[in-house]
Structures are given as structure tokens and as C-alpha cells.
Amino acid sequence: ILNVEQSPQSLHVQEGDSTNFTCSFPSSNFYALHWYRWETAKSPEALFVMTLNGDEKKKGRISATLNTKEGYSYLYIKGSQPEDSATYLCAYWGDSNYQLIWGAGTKLIIKP
Amino acid sequence: DAGITQSPRHKVTETGTPVTLRCHQTENHRYMYWYRQDPGHGLRLIHYSYGVKDTDKGEVSDGYSVSRSKTEDFLLTLESATSSQTSVYFCAIRRDSYYEQYFGPGTRLTVT
């Protein structure tokens, strides 16, 4: 059974602080790791797709790293702003079937 | 915008009635997915399709059926709606390699 774990489940961060959270996934048969941002009452939106061990991706104040050998990825947010409040999902593609395996998400709440 | 629409956007129905949700895409993608949003679980896959008339079950397929008679439309049917099927339903397409998915706006279904 393939499992994708995200921690913490929820996180309260003061505006202006930086934060990070984790996605753990199986390290075997790895193809890609995805991060999505999901705002309340909206649809999930793709942030990053990472495929190679050591990959780092950045979009504005948000960045992600990937370690496929040990099976984890970190998402970092620098200088959190209220608009960063959302649930951040990771999803793993690890074999030849047609579906992503999703984590349950980290809910980030930025306190002004 | 991946050209995905869902209809209806909101629906209230009674227990025991059949309900069909429609997902429509304009970009001719082969792979389409139906998810439901569940607190504590994030997104859970109901069914997916990898081509016209080619569908398969996801992790929460009981009580749901799907059909795909043409590339652009993927229908999700609740044969006899139950209160446990109250949820927000998202359709998604897989656009390119690495399984990156793009989501429709969602359908909020309430079963009373």
C-alpha cells in the first residue's frame, strides 16, 4: 500500500514569519512529486512538479526541495502573508498506473 | 485555465435519488479524474478515465459510476444518493507528462 504523509496537519504562523512543512513518500519506483495549493472554496492549483533527487523549485516566496533517496520533500514559505493561508497538498507518482497518490494536506493559517 | 467546466455547480438532492455530475473539457486530454473533498483526507479519488469508454475505480468508488462516451465529457453518477455523499466534487485533467493535474471549479452536492 502506497502512503503519502504530510506533517504537520495544520500550522498557525505569524504574518512575516517563515515556515516549512514536510511530505513523505515511498522512495522506491519514484517518478515525480507534486505540490498543490488549495485555498478555501477554490480548486487546487499546481505549484511545483519535481522529478530529480536534489531538485529545488521556487515561485516567489515559496520554494520546495526534493530528496528521493529518503523519500521526503519540504515546502518553504518565506515571510508569510495572509494570502498564503491555504491547504498545501503533495502528491506522488511512483509507478506506471494512472493516478497520483495524495497526502491529506497541511492547512496553513497566517495570523495578522 | 485548463478549459474545465463542471455542472451543476451546486445541487441539493434527497436521499435515494440518482444524481449525475458533468465534467467538460475543451483541450482534448486523454486522462480525466473525479475526486471528492473529505475533511482530514484532502482529495480522494472516486474514478478515473484513460480514454473514451476506458475507466477504472479509485479508492472510494462504492456508490458511484462513471461514463465517458466522448473525449470531452466525463460523467459521475450517484445511483442512489446517500447523506455520506454530501461533499464537494472536483473533476481534473492530466495535461502533460509527470501527471500534473488541473482541476475544475468543483460541484457542491448536498444530500438531505
Coordinates of all heavy atoms in Angstrom, one line a residue, chain A residues 51-102:
Chain A
T51 N 11.1 16.1 -10.2 CA 11.3 14.7 -10.7 C 12.7 14.2 -10.3 O 12.9 13.0 -10.2 CB 11.2 14.7 -12.2 OG1 12.1 15.6 -12.7 CG2 9.8 15.1 -12.6
L52 N 13.7 15.0 -10.0 CA 15.0 14.6 -9.8 C 15.5 14.8 -8.3 O 15.1 15.8 -7.7 CB 16.0 15.3 -10.7 CG 15.8 15.1 -12.2 CD1 16.7 16.0 -13.0 CD2 16.0 13.7 -12.6
N53 N 16.2 13.8 -7.8 CA 16.8 13.9 -6.5 C 17.6 15.2 -6.4 O 18.4 15.5 -7.3 CB 17.6 12.7 -6.1 CG 18.1 12.8 -4.7 OD1 17.3 13.1 -3.8 ND2 19.3 12.5 -4.5
G54 N 17.3 16.0 -5.4 CA 18.1 17.3 -5.2 C 17.4 18.5 -5.9 O 17.8 19.6 -5.8
D55 N 16.3 18.2 -6.6 CA 15.6 19.3 -7.3 C 15.2 20.4 -6.3 O 14.8 20.1 -5.1 CB 14.2 18.7 -7.9 CG 14.2 18.7 -9.4 OD1 15.2 19.1 -10.0 OD2 13.2 18.2 -9.9
E56 N 15.3 21.6 -6.7 CA 14.8 22.7 -5.9 C 13.9 23.6 -6.9 O 14.4 23.9 -8.0 CB 15.9 23.6 -5.3 CG 16.6 22.9 -4.2 CD 17.6 23.8 -3.5 OE1 17.3 25.0 -3.4 OE2 18.6 23.3 -3.0
K57 N 12.7 24.0 -6.4 CA 11.9 24.8 -7.3 C 11.5 26.0 -6.5 O 11.4 26.0 -5.2 CB 10.6 24.1 -7.7 CG 10.9 22.8 -8.5 CD 10.9 23.1 -10.0 CE 11.1 21.8 -10.8 NZ 10.9 22.0 -12.2
K58 N 11.3 27.1 -7.2 CA 10.9 28.4 -6.5 C 9.9 29.1 -7.3 O 10.0 29.2 -8.5 CB 12.2 29.2 -6.2 CG 12.0 30.4 -5.3 CD 13.3 31.1 -5.0 CE 13.0 32.3 -4.1 NZ 14.2 33.1 -3.9
K59 N 8.9 29.7 -6.5 CA 7.9 30.6 -7.2 C 7.7 31.7 -6.2 O 6.9 31.5 -5.2 CB 6.7 29.8 -7.5 CG 5.6 30.5 -8.2 CD 4.4 29.7 -8.5 CE 4.6 28.6 -9.5 NZ 3.4 27.9 -9.9
G60 N 8.3 32.8 -6.4 CA 8.1 34.0 -5.5 C 8.7 33.6 -4.1 O 9.9 33.2 -4.0
R61 N 7.9 33.7 -3.1 CA 8.4 33.4 -1.7 C 8.2 31.9 -1.3 O 8.6 31.5 -0.2 CB 7.6 34.2 -0.7 CG 7.8 35.7 -0.8 CD 6.9 36.5 0.1 NE 5.5 36.5 -0.2 CZ 4.6 35.6 0.4 NH1 5.0 34.8 1.3 NH2 3.4 35.6 0.0
I62 N 7.7 31.1 -2.2 CA 7.5 29.7 -2.0 C 8.6 28.9 -2.7 O 8.9 29.1 -3.9 CB 6.1 29.2 -2.4 CG1 5.1 30.1 -1.7 CG2 5.9 27.8 -2.1 CD1 3.7 29.8 -2.2
S63 N 9.2 27.9 -2.0 CA 10.2 27.0 -2.6 C 10.0 25.6 -2.1 O 9.3 25.4 -1.1 CB 11.6 27.5 -2.4 OG 11.9 27.6 -1.0
A64 N 10.5 24.7 -2.8 CA 10.4 23.3 -2.5 C 11.7 22.6 -2.8 O 12.4 22.9 -3.8 CB 9.2 22.6 -3.2
T65 N 12.0 21.5 -2.0 CA 13.2 20.7 -2.2 C 12.7 19.2 -2.2 O 11.6 18.9 -1.7 CB 14.2 20.9 -1.1 OG1 13.7 20.5 0.2 CG2 14.7 22.3 -1.0
L66 N 13.5 18.4 -2.8 CA 13.2 17.0 -3.0 C 14.3 16.1 -2.7 O 15.5 16.3 -3.2 CB 12.8 16.8 -4.5 CG 12.3 15.4 -4.9 CD1 11.1 15.0 -4.2 CD2 12.2 15.2 -6.4
N67 N 14.1 15.1 -1.9 CA 15.1 14.0 -1.6 C 14.4 12.7 -1.9 O 13.6 12.2 -1.1 CB 15.5 14.1 -0.1 CG 16.6 13.0 0.2 OD1 16.6 11.9 -0.3 ND2 17.5 13.4 1.1
T68 N 14.7 12.1 -3.1 CA 14.0 10.9 -3.5 C 14.6 9.7 -2.8 O 14.0 8.6 -2.7 CB 14.1 10.7 -5.0 OG1 15.5 10.6 -5.4 CG2 13.4 11.8 -5.7
K69 N 15.9 9.8 -2.4 CA 16.5 8.6 -1.8 C 15.9 8.3 -0.4 O 15.8 7.1 0.0 CB 18.0 8.9 -1.6 CG 18.8 9.0 -3.0 CD 20.2 9.1 -2.8 CE 21.0 9.4 -4.1 NZ 20.6 8.6 -5.2
E70 N 15.6 9.3 0.3 CA 15.0 9.1 1.6 C 13.5 9.3 1.6 O 12.8 9.1 2.6 CB 15.7 10.0 2.7 CG 17.1 9.7 2.9 CD 17.8 10.6 3.9 OE1 17.2 10.8 5.0 OE2 18.9 11.0 3.6
G71 N 13.0 9.8 0.5 CA 11.5 9.9 0.4 C 10.9 11.1 1.1 O 9.9 10.9 1.9
Y72 N 11.4 12.3 0.9 CA 10.7 13.4 1.5 C 10.9 14.7 0.7 O 11.9 14.8 -0.1 CB 11.2 13.7 3.0 CG 12.6 14.1 3.1 CD1 13.0 15.4 3.0 CD2 13.6 13.1 3.5 CE1 14.3 15.7 3.1 CE2 14.9 13.4 3.6 CZ 15.3 14.8 3.5 OH 16.6 15.1 3.6
S73 N 10.0 15.6 0.8 CA 10.1 16.9 0.2 C 9.6 17.9 1.2 O 8.7 17.7 2.0 CB 9.1 16.9 -1.0 OG 9.1 18.2 -1.6
Y74 N 10.3 19.1 1.2 CA 9.9 20.2 2.0 C 9.4 21.3 1.2 O 9.9 21.6 0.1 CB 11.2 20.8 2.8 CG 11.8 19.8 3.8 CD1 13.1 19.6 3.8 CD2 11.0 19.2 4.8 CE1 13.7 18.8 4.8 CE2 11.5 18.3 5.7 CZ 12.9 18.1 5.7 OH 13.4 17.3 6.6
L75 N 8.4 22.0 1.7 CA 7.8 23.2 1.1 C 8.1 24.3 2.1 O 7.9 24.2 3.3 CB 6.3 23.1 0.9 CG 5.8 24.3 0.0 CD1 6.0 24.0 -1.4 CD2 4.3 24.5 0.3
Y76 N 8.8 25.4 1.6 CA 9.1 26.6 2.4 C 8.4 27.8 2.0 O 8.2 28.0 0.8 CB 10.6 26.9 2.3 CG 11.6 25.8 2.6 CD1 12.0 24.8 1.7 CD2 12.1 25.7 3.9 CE1 12.9 23.8 2.0 CE2 13.0 24.7 4.3 CZ 13.3 23.7 3.3 OH 14.2 22.7 3.7
I77 N 7.9 28.6 3.0 CA 7.3 29.9 2.6 C 8.1 30.9 3.4 O 8.2 30.8 4.7 CB 5.8 29.9 3.0 CG1 5.1 28.8 2.2 CG2 5.3 31.3 2.6 CD1 3.6 28.7 2.5
K78 N 8.6 31.9 2.7 CA 9.4 32.9 3.3 C 8.6 34.2 3.6 O 7.9 34.6 2.7 CB 10.6 33.3 2.4 CG 11.6 34.2 3.0 CD 12.8 34.4 2.0 CE 13.7 35.4 2.5 NZ 14.8 35.7 1.6
G79 N 8.6 34.7 4.8 CA 7.9 35.9 5.0 C 6.4 35.8 4.8 O 5.8 36.5 3.9
S80 N 5.7 34.9 5.5 CA 4.3 34.5 5.3 C 3.4 35.8 5.2 O 3.6 36.7 6.1 CB 3.8 33.6 6.4 OG 4.7 32.4 6.4
Q81 N 2.5 35.7 4.3 CA 1.5 36.8 4.2 C 0.1 36.1 4.3 O -0.1 34.9 4.1 CB 1.6 37.4 2.8 CG 3.0 38.1 2.6 CD 3.2 39.2 3.5 OE1 2.3 40.1 3.7 NE2 4.3 39.2 4.2
P82 N -0.9 37.0 4.7 CA -2.3 36.4 4.8 C -2.7 35.6 3.6 O -3.4 34.6 3.7 CB -3.1 37.6 5.1 CG -2.2 38.6 5.7 CD -0.8 38.4 5.1
E83 N -2.3 36.0 2.4 CA -2.8 35.3 1.2 C -2.1 34.0 1.0 O -2.5 33.2 0.1 CB -2.5 36.2 -0.1 CG -1.1 36.5 -0.3 CD -0.7 37.9 0.3 OE1 -1.3 38.3 1.3 OE2 0.2 38.5 -0.3
D84 N -1.2 33.6 1.9 CA -0.6 32.3 1.8 C -1.5 31.3 2.6 O -1.2 30.1 2.5 CB 0.8 32.3 2.5 CG 1.8 33.2 1.7 OD1 1.7 33.2 0.5 OD2 2.7 33.7 2.4
S85 N -2.4 31.8 3.3 CA -3.3 30.8 4.0 C -4.0 29.9 3.0 O -4.7 30.4 2.1 CB -4.4 31.6 4.8 OG -3.8 32.4 5.9
A86 N -3.8 28.6 3.2 CA -4.4 27.6 2.3 C -4.0 26.3 2.8 O -3.3 26.1 3.8 CB -3.8 27.8 0.9
T87 N -4.5 25.2 2.2 CA -4.1 23.9 2.4 C -3.1 23.5 1.3 O -3.4 23.8 0.1 CB -5.2 22.9 2.4 OG1 -6.1 23.2 3.6 CG2 -4.7 21.4 2.6
Y88 N -1.9 23.0 1.7 CA -0.9 22.6 0.8 C -0.9 21.1 0.7 O -0.7 20.4 1.7 CB 0.4 23.2 1.2 CG 0.4 24.7 1.1 CD1 -0.1 25.5 2.1 CD2 0.9 25.3 -0.1 CE1 -0.1 26.9 2.0 CE2 0.9 26.7 -0.2 CZ 0.4 27.5 0.8 OH 0.3 28.8 0.7
L89 N -1.1 20.6 -0.5 CA -1.2 19.2 -0.8 C 0.1 18.7 -1.5 O 0.6 19.4 -2.4 CB -2.4 18.8 -1.7 CG -3.8 19.1 -1.1 CD1 -4.8 19.0 -2.2 CD2 -4.1 18.2 0.0
C90 N 0.6 17.6 -1.2 CA 1.6 16.9 -2.0 C 1.0 15.7 -2.6 O 0.1 15.1 -2.1 CB 2.9 16.7 -1.3 SG 2.8 15.4 0.0
A91 N 1.5 15.3 -3.8 CA 1.0 14.1 -4.4 C 2.2 13.4 -5.1 O 3.1 14.0 -5.7 CB -0.1 14.4 -5.5
Y92 N 2.2 12.1 -5.1 CA 3.3 11.3 -5.5 C 2.9 10.4 -6.7 O 1.8 9.9 -6.7 CB 3.8 10.4 -4.3 CG 4.5 9.1 -4.6 CD1 5.9 9.1 -4.8 CD2 3.8 7.9 -4.7 CE1 6.6 8.0 -5.0 CE2 4.5 6.7 -4.9 CZ 5.9 6.8 -5.0 OH 6.6 5.6 -5.3
W93 N 3.8 10.4 -7.7 CA 3.6 9.4 -8.8 C 4.7 8.5 -8.8 O 5.9 8.9 -9.0 CB 3.5 10.2 -10.1 CG 3.4 9.3 -11.3 CD1 2.8 8.1 -11.4 CD2 4.0 9.5 -12.6 NE1 2.9 7.6 -12.6 CE2 3.6 8.4 -13.4 CE3 4.7 10.6 -13.1 CZ2 4.0 8.4 -14.7 CZ3 5.1 10.5 -14.5 CH2 4.7 9.4 -15.3
G94 N 4.4 7.2 -8.5 CA 5.5 6.3 -8.3 C 5.5 5.0 -9.1 O 6.4 4.2 -9.0
D95 N 4.6 4.9 -10.0 CA 4.6 3.7 -10.8 C 3.9 3.9 -12.1 O 3.5 5.1 -12.4 CB 4.2 2.4 -10.1 CG 2.7 2.5 -9.7 OD1 2.0 3.4 -10.2 OD2 2.3 1.8 -8.7
S96 N 3.6 2.9 -12.8 CA 3.0 3.1 -14.2 C 1.5 3.2 -14.2 O 0.9 3.3 -15.3 CB 3.5 2.0 -15.1 OG 3.0 0.8 -14.6
N97 N 0.8 3.2 -13.1 CA -0.6 3.4 -13.1 C -1.0 4.8 -13.4 O -0.1 5.7 -13.5 CB -1.3 2.8 -11.9 CG -1.2 3.6 -10.7 OD1 -1.0 4.8 -10.7 ND2 -1.4 3.0 -9.6
Y98 N -2.3 5.1 -13.5 CA -2.7 6.4 -14.0 C -3.0 7.5 -12.9 O -3.4 8.5 -13.3 CB -3.9 6.2 -14.8 CG -3.8 5.2 -15.9 CD1 -4.5 4.0 -16.0 CD2 -2.9 5.5 -17.0 CE1 -4.3 3.1 -17.0 CE2 -2.7 4.6 -18.0 CZ -3.4 3.4 -18.0 OH -3.3 2.5 -19.0
Q99 N -2.7 7.1 -11.7 CA -3.2 8.1 -10.7 C -2.1 8.6 -9.8 O -1.1 7.9 -9.6 CB -4.3 7.4 -9.9 CG -3.9 6.1 -9.2 CD -5.0 5.5 -8.4 OE1 -5.4 6.1 -7.4 NE2 -5.5 4.4 -8.9
L100 N -2.2 9.8 -9.2 CA -1.4 10.3 -8.2 C -1.8 9.8 -6.8 O -3.0 9.5 -6.7 CB -1.5 11.8 -8.2 CG -0.9 12.6 -9.4 CD1 -1.3 14.1 -9.3 CD2 0.6 12.4 -9.5
I101 N -0.9 9.6 -5.9 CA -1.2 9.3 -4.5 C -1.1 10.5 -3.7 O 0.0 11.1 -3.7 CB -0.3 8.2 -4.0 CG1 -0.2 7.0 -4.9 CG2 -0.7 7.8 -2.6 CD1 -1.5 6.3 -5.2
W102 N -2.2 10.9 -3.1 CA -2.3 12.3 -2.5 C -2.1 12.2 -1.0 O -2.5 11.2 -0.3 CB -3.7 12.9 -2.7 CG -3.9 13.2 -4.1 CD1 -4.4 12.4 -5.1 CD2 -3.7 14.5 -4.7 NE1 -4.5 13.0 -6.3 CE2 -4.1 14.3 -6.1 CE3 -3.3 15.7 -4.3 CZ2 -4.0 15.4 -7.0 CZ3 -3.2 16.8 -5.2 CH2 -3.6 16.6 -6.5

